[in-house]
Amino acid sequence: MLVLAGIVVIAGGFLLRFNPLLVIIVSALVTGLAAGLDPVAVLATFGRAFNDTRYVTAIYIVLPVIGLLERHGLQARARALVGKLRGATAGRVLIGYLLFRQITAALGLVSIAGPAQTVRPLVAPMAEAAADPRDEAESETVRAMAAATDNVGVFFGEDIFIAIGSILLMKGVLEGYGIMLEPFQLSVWAIPTAFAAFVIHGFRLLLLDRRLARGR
């Protein structure tokens, strides 16, 4: 029964609104000690779990780095860079990012960019600098379109890569209905869809430029 003391620690810690990470660590220590493990064994278990699931916990290493870069002027640098480009608009900046996102996703580099890694610290500030919004509503519109551009690019670009999970899922479903197709055949047919997505969303981005210009 003493092993269940960790649950009591979790319940009490969350009830008292302590730091969730601290509560989980203390709970794990209490559970390990109650189970008869010495502190070194508990620490070794933590290290093994971290190593086995490092693909999940890697984000906790990336996010602080991005936060430090932002604090030391990453967004300001991005805005200044776009401000020096003649003819730059929010739509044109985001169209360029859309093309980059689709090409890299088609090559299997899905995690090379994303809302946390690139949109918030780089792409959105660059688009805002090019748009020069008049108020917070226009700023929110540009930020939302930057996030949408990332989603459209990766969603329609990743299916071109033959080893992506969605392609393998479609292959399995089709085989269940007796339709035998190779992943490459599915990937080829994803190219027209990706091209159509680029054209449609690119048109939406140009409409964003017109809407922002009309507001002036």
Side-chain angles (χ1 to χ4, degrees):
M1 294 295 293
L2 289 177
V3 179
L4 300 179
I7 299 177
V8 177
V9 173
I10 290 178
F14 287 168
L15 183 64
L16 296 174
R17 298 187 177 184
F18 290 147
N19 185 292
L21 183 59
L22 178 61
V23 172
I24 296 298
I25 292 175
V26 173
S27 172
L29 289 172
V30 170
T31 301
L33 294 174
L37 298 175
D38 61 84
V40 176
V42 175
L43 183 61
T45 303
F46 266 117
R48 184 167 57 253
F50 178 86
N51 185 65
D52 292 343
T53 58
R54 59 188 179 276
Y55 54 90
V56 175
T57 51
I59 187 65
Y60 298 118
I61 300 175
V62 174
L63 288 179
V65 173
I66 294 174
L68 286 172
L69 290 173
E70 287 189 18
R71 184 171 183 177
H72 290 279
L74 179 62
Q75 291 191 4
R77 296 279 184 178
R79 290 190 176 95
L81 175 64
V82 172
K84 296 178 181 178
L85 299 177
R86 286 189 174 183
T89 65
R92 291 171 184 172
V93 169
L94 293 178
I95 287 174
Y97 180 69
L98 175 62
L99 180 62
F100 165 80
R101 196 68 167 115
Q102 281 198 326
I103 292 175
T104 53
L107 296 174
L109 303 175
V110 176
S111 301
I112 197 174
Q117 305 99 303
T118 51
V119 174
R120 186 184 185 279
L122 284 175
V123 179
M126 292 172 72
E128 281 188 85
D132 191 19
R134 297 175 303 161
D135 50 36
E136 186 61 24
E138 285 191 354
S139 292
E140 290 292 339
T141 299
V142 174
R143 293 172 197 160
M145 193 62 80
T149 300
D150 184 89
N151 288 332
V152 171
V154 69
F155 185 84
F156 290 99
E158 65 179 1
D159 286 344
I160 301 175
F161 186 61
I162 61 174
I164 204 73
S166 55
I167 290 292
L168 301 178
L169 175 62
M170 286 187 283
K171 183 180 185 299
V173 171
L174 291 172
E175 283 183 357
Y177 288 97
I179 303 173
M180 308 303 293
L181 290 174
E182 293 299 322
F184 180 74
Q185 293 174 282
L186 295 172
S187 297
V188 168
W189 282 104
I191 296 175
T193 306
F195 179 77
F198 180 84
V199 172
I200 294 171
H201 191 66
F203 181 69
R204 294 180 64 213
L205 293 173
L206 293 178
L207 289 180
L208 172 66
D209 281 342
R210 291 187 60 181
R211 188 162 67 248
L212 293 173
R214 191 163 52 243
R216 290 171 173 70

